[in-house]
Amino acid sequence: MEPAEARRRFAAARVAHLATADAAGRPHLVPVTFAVDGDTVVTAVDHKPKRTLALKRLANMAENPRVALLVDEYDDGDWSRLWWARADGAARVVEPGSAEHAGAVERLRQRYAQYADRPPAGPAVLVAVERWSGWSASAG
């Protein structure tokens, strides 16, 4: 899959899986809501229940900013429709109160109706995508 097609499919997906690793290389994977703005993927810590606000993904990014985000389509009835798209890059955490945070939250509010009345109030993550890649079982 060409990088432009990978970015198009990625941007159209509703959920991504964010992979981070700590300084020792131990992986951590979580599903996230996101928005794509050019070659930047944004996500944020929202109001959904969490065990702690000291999230492992944020700690990992402080130790190792290299991340990957993955979206995919799986059709158990028709494997010719399978595909995945990945964004690899460097993550940066921005705290509430900054213009970058406000911009990231606004992109998420535009994409997800659930954020219209209750936008993410926690830190935002901006991933500068260095590589878009993907695979598809068929050309379509």
Side-chain angles (χ1 to χ4, degrees), residues 20-104:
T20 63
D22 62 19
R26 286 182 293 268
H28 182 71
L29 187 66
V30 293
V32 294
T33 56
F34 69 94
V36 175
D37 183 14
D39 284 328
T40 301
V41 176
V42 300
T43 186
V45 177
D46 63 18
H47 60 277
K48 292 189 297 293
K50 294 160 182 59
R51 285 185 283 156
T52 177
L53 294 180
L55 299 178
K56 180 68 174 160
R57 69 189 96 158
L58 300 177
N60 283 356
M61 288 177 214
E63 294 178 14
N64 176 5
R66 310 301 311 160
V67 302
L69 293 119
L70 179 76
V71 302
D72 70 298
E73 178 70 30
Y74 180 80
D75 185 332
D76 198 39
D78 183 358
W79 280 14
S80 71
R81 297 172 44 100
L82 305 179
W83 62 265
W84 58 263
R86 193 173 81 208
D88 298 311
R92 192 165 50 86
V93 177
V94 292
E95 296 297 329
S98 72
E100 284 182 303
H101 184 274

Side-chain angles (χ1 to χ4, degrees), residues 104-135:
V105 167
E106 183 55 32
R107 286 189 289 284
L108 292 167
R109 287 183 72 211
Q110 290 172 5
R111 185 161 159 76
Y112 297 96
Q114 296 87 339
Y115 291 148
D117 295 328
R118 194 168 178 192
V125 174
L126 284 66
V127 178
V129 178
E130 298 162 358
R131 181 174 180 249
W132 296 98
S133 60
W135 170 86

